[in-house]
Every structure is written in C-alpha cells, then in structure tokens.
C-alpha cells in the first residue's frame, strides 16, 4: 500500500470500481439514460483525479460489459461516444496527467475509430506510472475462456505442456497480466453482485457496497470506502 499524500493513511495500491447507477440517477431526474452515463463519465474524471492525489497506483473501472450489448442502440452509442470523447481529451492532456492507459476486454467489437483511440492511448502512455484499466466489452468468464484457449493453442503449437500450468502461468494469459490484484472493489448503487467483474483477480479483494449512485459518487465516498477497507481484517485464508 502507498501512503496517501493528504492524510498519510495507507491507501490500497489497486482499487476497482463497478460504475453502477447511471440509469437510475437519470430516471430520478426524468432524463434519458445517456444523461446518466454523461454524469457517470464526469464522476469517473473526478474519482480518477482523486485517486491520483491519494497515490493509488492502479484504478480499474467497469465501463462496458460483454452483457451491455443487450441495451438499446441509442444507449450503447451514447456510452461509446462518451468514451471516445474522454480518450480524445486524455490524448490531448497526456503529458500533463501522465496516466498509463490499459484496456481489458475484446476491443475488436468496438468501432474502428474507438479501437484506434484505445490503441493510441495505450501505446502513447506506456511509460507513465499511474495506471487506469478500462474494462471495455469485458466479462470475467470471457476473460477466463480466452486465457484457457490461448494456453491450449500454445500447447497445440508445442510451446507449452499441460503440466506446466500454474496459477501464475494462467495469470499471464489474462488481460490483467502484470497488474497486481485489486485490494478493494467498490460497487455503488446498492446492488450487491459481482456481475462478472474481475472473477479471477477478486479472489481476495475486499468488496465495499455503497448506497450512492455512481454519478453522485465523490471523493468523500471514496474516503469512506477506504476507511471501511481498513476496518476489515484481511487474512488471505490464514488465521
Ligand atoms: C452501469 O449503470 C453503467 C454502465 C453500463 C456504463 C458505464 C459508463 C460510463 C460511466 C461512461 C463511460 C465513460 C467514461 C469516460 C468512463 P447502469 O446504466 O446499469 O445503471 P442502472 O443500474 O441504474 O440502470
């Protein structure tokens, strides 16, 4: 854990967030769901900046799941537009912010323009230290199936042997290879499910579920989640 810049409390190295409640936030205001996602994107900017100030090294956010394709065309294109706008802004401010961008998920289903922005953001930021992982067209089960397939392909090519497979080796086939597991996973909006998020990586994560909708989630809520994390007694299966 890294000491926080402001209050000297150790903060988790890696925080992951399920950005939930955008739709309900919009409905409560009589607005279209896309307005909720726009407010959610603002909330993400605020929290990503705050994480940087605190000294969090890795922030992983669930931006679009493999199941989110079931939503209306209008809602999907609204979310994709917001992501594109954010990535353009991130590319512009890259030298100032010094954030490394990484994407977990199968990007091939995204528009060629969005794929290009993702690839540019990832390759131009590879030398920076603080890392944001965007889970885009991501599903935890899908990630494990892909890892299993890649390993099987390497076995078929004669590059690996089945008996070589260990937890560590399997991890190297995941989108999150080289990223430490999140110590803390936050789900706002009152839902208490993992929804196919970081299934492998969350084996020992502390979950904090909060009754605030993502667009209303602010630095004080993150502080509260970190305080709750500190109250937990992490034993990793020991006594
Ligand atoms: C879940 O809330 C949220 C999503 C499926 C999309 C999240 C996307 C964003 C926050 C915008 C992405 C852009 C950036 C820059 C990060 P929900 O719609 O399921 O909410 P509900 O459960 O209240 O309906």
């Amino acid at each position: 854990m890294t000491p926080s810049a402001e209050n000297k409390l150790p903060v988790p190295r890696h925080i992951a967030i399920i950005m939930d409640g955008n739709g309900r936030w919009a409905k409560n205001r009589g607005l279209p769901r896309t307005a909720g996602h726009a407010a959610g994107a603002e909330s993400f900017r605020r929290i990503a900046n705050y994480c940087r100030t605190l000294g969090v090294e890795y922030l992983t956010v669930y931006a679009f799941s493999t199941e989110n394709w079931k939503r209306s065309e209008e809602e999907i294109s609204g979310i994709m537009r917001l992501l594109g706008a954010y990535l353009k802004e991130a590319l512009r401010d890259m030298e100032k912010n010094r954030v490394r961008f990484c994407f977990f998920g199968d990007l091939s289903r995204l528009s060629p323009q969005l794929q290009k922005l993702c690839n540019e953001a990832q390759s131009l930021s590879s030398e920076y230290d603080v890392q944001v992982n965007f889970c885009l067209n991501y599903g935890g089960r899908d990630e494990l199936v892909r890892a299993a397939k890649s390993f099987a392909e390497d076995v078929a090519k004669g590059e690996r042997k089945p008996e070589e497979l260990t937890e560590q080796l399997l991890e190297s086939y995941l989108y999150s290879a080289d990223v430490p597991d999140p110590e803390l996973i936050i789900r706002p909006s009152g839902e208490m499910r993992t929804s196919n998020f970081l299934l492998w990586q969350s084996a020992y994560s502390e979950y904090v579920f909060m009754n605030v909708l993502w667009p209303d989630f602010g630095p004080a809520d993150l502080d509260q989640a970190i305080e709750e994390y500190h109250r937990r007694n992490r034993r990793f299966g020991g006594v």
Side-chain angles (χ1 to χ4, degrees):
M1 289 196 289
T2 329
S4 136
E6 282 176 3
N7 53 18
K8 304 278 186 270
L9 259 181
V11 294
R13 273 187 87 190
H14 184 176
I15 297 180
I17 306 181
I18 302 178
M19 304 187 289
D20 195 16
N22 299 346
R24 277 162 284 168
W25 183 94
K27 193 171 176 215
N28 293 343
R29 285 164 177 73
L31 296 170
R33 294 180 62 83
T34 42
H37 295 310
E42 278 311 307
S43 195
F44 164 76
R45 285 179 175 86
R46 207 163 50 229
I47 290 302
N49 283 334
Y50 188 55
C51 280
R52 228 161 22 121
T53 337
L54 290 181
V56 174
E57 289 173 58
Y58 299 88
L59 171 67
T60 301
V61 288
Y62 210 178
F64 197 87
S65 74
T66 44
E67 288 74 35
N68 286 151
W69 297 106
K70 292 180 204 146
R71 298 189 177 202
S72 75
E73 179 54 42
E74 189 194 348
E75 184 171 350
I76 294 172
S77 57
I79 295 174
M80 298 301 166
R81 249 195 324 274
L82 287 164
L83 283 162
Y86 175 76
L87 290 173
K88 280 187 191 150
E89 185 187 301
L91 282 163
R92 192 192 61 209
D93 298 339
M94 191 148 271
E95 281 185 45
K96 184 177 78 174
N97 292 338
R98 306 184 63 78
V99 170
R100 186 165 68 228
F101 288 94
C102 194
F103 298 87
F104 293 0
D106 175 14
L107 302 188
S108 70
R109 201 168 159 188
L110 308 182
S111 71
Q113 296 92 312
L114 193 53
Q115 285 184 51
K116 188 163 174 274
L117 285 170
C118 293
N119 292 334
E120 269 176 24
Q122 181 150 340
S123 60
L124 293 173
S125 67
S126 62
E127 301 297 315
Y128 298 139
D129 305 321
V130 175
Q131 181 163 332
V132 173
N133 304 309
F134 279 98
C135 296
L136 259 184
N137 190 20
Y138 172 87
R141 288 183 174 182
D142 182 63
E143 179 181 33
L144 289 167
V145 168
R146 280 165 193 277
K149 268 190 196 153
S150 300
F151 178 73
E153 278 162 15
D154 286 350
V155 170
K157 282 187 271 177
E159 291 171 8
R160 293 276 182 206
K161 292 197 175 73
E163 58 273 22
E164 271 181 73
L165 191 61
T166 58
E167 291 185 8
Q168 207 180 8
L169 184 59
L170 185 66
E171 269 168 11
S172 71
Y173 286 87
L174 300 178
Y175 294 122
S176 59
D178 301 326
V179 175
D181 290 342
E183 291 97 334
L184 169 62
I185 300 184
I186 304 170
R187 182 166 194 162
S189 95
E191 304 293 346
M192 296 200 195
R193 287 187 295 280
T194 61
S195 295
N196 206 9
F197 186 47
L198 305 179
L199 293 183
W200 175 278
Q201 301 84 346
S202 63
Y204 290 103
S205 304
E206 295 293 340
Y207 275 95
V208 174
F209 298 101
M210 301 177 80
N211 262 326
V212 52
L213 302 175
W214 175 247
D216 293 326
F217 192 98
D221 298 297
L222 189 69
D223 286 342
Q224 203 186 314
I226 294 174
E227 279 163 29
E228 172 62 25
Y229 166 80
H230 280 293
R231 281 194 288 271
R232 310 265 177 96
N233 181 9
R234 307 185 76 214
R235 295 195 304 271
F236 299 95
V239 288

